[in-house]
Amino acid sequence: MGSLDTNPTTFSAFGDEVGFKPLNPEDVRAYLHKAVDFISDYYKSVETLPVLPDVKPGYLQDELQTKPPTYSAPFDVTMKEFRTSVVPGMTHWASPNFFAFFPSTNSAAAIAGDLIASAMNTVGFTWQASPAATEMEVLALDWLAQLLRLPTSFMNRTSAGRGTGGGVILGTTSEAMLVTLVAARDAALRRIGSDGVAGITRLTVYAADQTHSTFFKACRLAGFDPANIKSIPTSAETNYGLDPVKLLEIMQADVEAGLVPTYICATVGTTSSNAVDPVGAIADVAAMFKAWVHIDAAYAGSACICPEFRYHLNGVERVDSISLSPHKWLMTCLDCTCLWVRDTHRLTDSLETNPEYLKNDASESGTVTDLKDMQVGVGRRFRGLKLWMVMRTYGAAKLQEHIRSDVSMAKMFEDSVRADDRFEVVVPRNFALICFRIKAQNAMTEEDADEANRELMERLNRTGKAYLAHTVVGGKFVLRFAVGSSLQEERHVRSAWELIKKTTTEIIKTAK
C-alpha cells in the first residue's frame, strides 16, 4: 500500500486486489515458520560464521534501499535481504567462539516464551490490564528468589500471604540502579527534613572504581551532584573488591563535612575483573548511616543458584535491594533484569502514577502491586513468561549444570594459561571469567607487554575464529576471556587457547 493511499483496499505490486490484514492467520503461520526455520538453521551454522563482521560504517545503506518501499513485497524477499545483507554485518553473540563480554545466553524455552509474549503483545502496566502477566511475573520472581535462597523479605508472596517486599522485571541493570537510587534519594531527603529537593546537594553515593559505568550515569540521571558520587579506589590487596574500611572512612568524613550518605552499590562480579564486593561488611557500614545498599549481581548472581557459590551473597538479608540479569547467564534472552526490594513501598512511593484512566478496583483494593509503579515508564512487556518458561522447562538441576559446566571450562582455560610461562593471570578467577595477558619478561617492559597484548587481541579478533575484549586492571592492559555462550563446548575453549598460543608465538617472534 502506498504511504499516501487512503482507500481501504489497494493493488499490490503484483496486481492482486488485497485488503491490508497484518495479522492474517495464514500469514502469521507462514512467516513464523520461515522465521523459525531461519533461527534453527542459524544455531546450526553460527559456529562457522566469523564472530566479528568485516563491514564498514554505513554499509547497510549501500546494501539496501535508502528510501522506504511504497508497495508490498513477498516475505521471502524480505528474508532474502535479511540473510544476504543483515546477517553478514552481525556480531554473533550466539557463537560458541564469542568470549569478549559476559555472555548473552539463550535457550529454546526462552525464545518460545519471548515469541509468544511478543505475539500476545500484552501491556501489563496494571494488574487489571492483564492479571496473568502480573501474576506470572510475581511467580517467576518468587521462584528465582527461592533458587537464590533470598530472605522471604524479598518475596512477593510468602507462606503467610503477601509480603512487604517483592520484585519487578526490568530491561537492564541501569534501570534497576536508577529506580533504587531515586527511592533512596527520596528517603534521604525525607530523613533530613528537606523542603522538596533543596537538600539534594548534600546527598552522597558510593561505589568501588570497578563498578559498572552505568551506575555513575544513573546517579547523574537521579540528580546527584557529580562531586558527591564517590568512586572508591580498589587494589590487588582486596582482589579489586570494595574495601569496607576505606568506605567507612570516606562516609565518616562526608558526615563531618555536612553531607548525607545515601546509597552504596555493591557488585557481585564486576565487569572488568569479576571482583566481588563483601556484601555483609558493606551492609554493616551502611547501617551506621542509614544508607541504602543495592547489590548489582547482573552477571554473577545467576551462579548463586548453585550452593557452592551462594556465599557471595552472604549478608543479603541486610541490604535494601538486589538485581541480576538472567539474560546474561541464566538462559533467558535479552532483556530481563530482575530487581527485588525489601520494601516495595519505598519504590512505589517515589515512582507511583495514578491517572484517572488507570484507576480500577483491584488497584484501589491494595491487594496487588501495579508493576508500572516500580519502574521508570508505564508500558511494559510480558517478560515474566520467558523467565517462567526457562525455569519450568529446565528446572533448577539443569540450570545449575549449565553454570557448573561453564565454570569448569573457565577453570580449564585458566589452568592452561598458568601452565604457559609467557602468560599471567592478573586477578584470581571468579566464576567463568579469566583476566590474563602476555607478561613482561626478559627485555620486555610493561609498556611493551601492553602493546603485545593489544596486538594479540586485534589479531585474534581479525581471524573471525574468536572474539575477546580487554580491560585495564592495576594499570595493565588485560584480555578478558569470558566463557558462557549457550552453544559453547570444551572444544571451543581448547581451540581458542590453541589460537592464542599460536598467535602469541608469532607476535614474540616478530618482536625479536
Side-chain angles (χ1 to χ4, degrees):
M1 180 183 292
S3 59
L4 299 179
D5 287 346
T6 56
N7 294 328
T9 60
T10 189
F11 285 91
S12 76
F14 310 100
D16 299 322
E17 187 176 300
V18 295
F20 182 43
K21 297 179 179 179
L23 284 177
N24 178 301
E26 294 310 310
D27 286 345
V28 170
R29 185 183 303 277
Y31 293 5
L32 291 187
H33 275 207
K34 294 177 191 297
V36 169
D37 285 344
F38 166 80
I39 292 167
S40 180
D41 292 342
Y42 175 72
Y43 281 121
K44 285 180 181 177
S45 65
V46 67
E47 178 179 350
T48 66
L49 302 175
V51 190
L52 275 178
D54 183 19
V55 295
K56 304 296 182 186
Y59 91 96
L60 204 55
Q61 288 286 329
D62 299 328
E63 290 273 332
L64 302 177
Q65 303 175 84
T66 57
K67 294 182 179 179
T70 299
Y71 299 106
S72 59
F75 187 67
D76 285 344
V77 170
T78 304
M79 286 298 296
K80 180 181 179 182
E81 291 180 355
F82 171 71
R83 286 191 180 92
T84 58
S85 297
V86 179
V87 172
M90 297 293 293
T91 295
H92 297 290
W93 286 66
S95 171
N97 301 312
F98 185 104
F99 302 99
F101 306 108
F102 287 142
S104 179
T105 56
N106 212 344
S107 62
I111 295 169
D114 212 36
L115 174 62
I116 294 169
S118 294
M120 299 183 81
N121 210 24
T122 261
V123 186
F125 34 56
T126 63
W127 182 91
Q128 189 180 59
S130 185
T134 297
E135 298 280 339
M136 176 61 78
E137 190 159 326
V138 165
L139 178 66
L141 285 162
D142 281 354
W143 275 14
L144 186 50
Q146 291 174 68
L147 292 184
L148 293 165
R149 288 188 290 156
L150 295 184
T152 55
S153 55
F154 285 98
M155 297 188 53
N156 293 281
R157 303 284 178 183
T158 69
S159 57
R162 187 181 177 194
T164 58
V168 60
I169 301 180
L170 305 171
T172 64
T173 299
S174 310
E175 293 174 60
M177 289 174 172
L178 179 58
V179 297
T180 52
L181 277 163
V182 168
R185 176 199 69 194
D186 292 353
L189 289 171
R190 289 192 295 269
R191 191 166 67 245
I192 64 175
S194 174
D195 182 14
V197 296
I200 197 169
T201 56
R202 295 175 55 202
L203 308 187
T204 54
V205 295
Y206 308 85
D209 61 2
Q210 296 293 304
T211 303
H212 198 286
S213 60
T214 196
F215 170 70
F216 304 99
K217 179 179 180 178
C219 289
R220 295 195 301 274
L221 288 172
F224 290 93
D225 185 336
N228 291 342
I229 303 171
K230 307 299 178 77
S231 178
I232 302 173
T234 58
S235 68
E237 292 178 3
T238 59
N239 291 329
Y240 298 97
L242 179 58
D243 183 348
V245 175
K246 283 185 183 178
L247 175 66
L248 176 58
E249 291 173 355
I250 292 171
M251 294 178 79
Q252 284 177 329
D254 284 344
V255 170
E256 290 168 7
L259 300 175
V260 181
T262 299
Y263 185 105
I264 305 166
C265 182
T267 306
V268 174
T270 61
T271 301
S272 276
S273 62
N274 235 344
V276 176
D277 294 337
V279 172
I282 290 171
D284 289 342
V285 172
M288 302 178 193
F289 305 93
K290 298 182 179 178
W292 183 297
V293 180
H294 174 71
I295 300 176
D296 168 16
Y299 159 70
S302 293
C304 296
I305 67 170
C306 300
E308 64 268 33
F309 297 117
R310 174 55 177 76
Y311 72 94
H312 290 295
L313 294 182
N314 287 352
V316 66
E317 68 279 359
R318 301 196 301 283
V319 309
D320 299 278
S321 56
I322 176 174
S323 63
L324 70 85
S325 299
H327 62 236
K328 289 187 181 292
W329 205 9
L330 209 60
M331 315 303 290
T332 307
C333 52
L334 199 72
D335 51 7
C336 183
T337 290
C338 299
L339 168 67
W340 293 270
V341 290
R342 269 198 297 129
D343 184 353
T344 57
H345 291 297
R346 297 182 74 184
L347 275 191
T348 58
D349 285 350
S350 293
L351 303 171
E352 184 179 30
T353 55
N354 194 27
E356 187 63 36
Y357 56 83
L358 290 183
K359 290 181 178 178
N360 62 84
D361 291 344
S363 297
E364 297 295 324
S365 72
T367 59
V368 300
T369 297
D370 289 333
L371 296 177
K372 69 177 176 60
D373 297 327
M374 297 177 70
Q375 62 177 29
V376 175
V378 175
R380 56 195 336 275
R381 299 185 66 235
F382 188 7
R383 296 187 184 99
L385 181 61
K386 61 186 175 185
L387 180 60
W388 173 79
M389 280 197 167
V390 166
M391 289 188 286
R392 183 66 187 90
T393 302
Y394 302 124
K398 277 194 167 65
L399 294 174
Q400 290 169 339
E401 177 186 335
H402 150 72
I403 297 288
R404 288 168 176 148
S405 172
D406 288 347
V407 172
S408 176
M409 287 190 289
K411 185 179 185 305
M412 177 188 73
F413 182 86
E414 178 192 30
D415 290 343
S416 298
V417 173
R418 291 188 184 279
D420 190 322
D421 61 9
R422 297 174 299 175
F423 297 92
E424 62 178 330
V425 174
V426 179
V427 294
R429 177 190 54 79
N430 279 326
F431 311 107
L433 172 72
I434 303 93
C435 293
F436 75 105
R437 72 195 299 262
I438 299 171
K439 66 183 178 183
Q441 53 184 326
N442 302 325
M444 184 183 287
T445 65
E446 288 296 345
E447 290 75 16
D448 293 336
D450 282 350
E451 188 55 39
N453 282 286
R454 189 182 299 275
E455 184 176 354
L456 173 59
M457 181 183 72
E458 291 173 354
R459 286 199 191 190
L460 291 170
N461 292 345
R462 279 200 301 270
T463 68
K465 297 177 180 178
Y467 179 27
L468 277 69
H470 79 281
T471 188
V472 174
V473 178
K476 296 178 179 180
F477 186 95
V478 176
L479 300 184
R480 297 172 72 262
F481 190 90
V483 176
S485 171
S486 303
L487 294 172
Q488 241 158 41
E489 299 173 5
E490 201 172 288
R491 62 188 175 90
H492 300 110
V493 176
R494 293 190 185 280
S495 177
W497 174 239
E498 291 302 317
L499 182 61
I500 290 167
K501 289 196 299 181
K502 175 175 177 290
T503 308
T504 299
T505 299
E506 294 170 356
I507 291 171
I508 292 176
K509 187 181 297 183
T510 302
K512 293 178 179 177

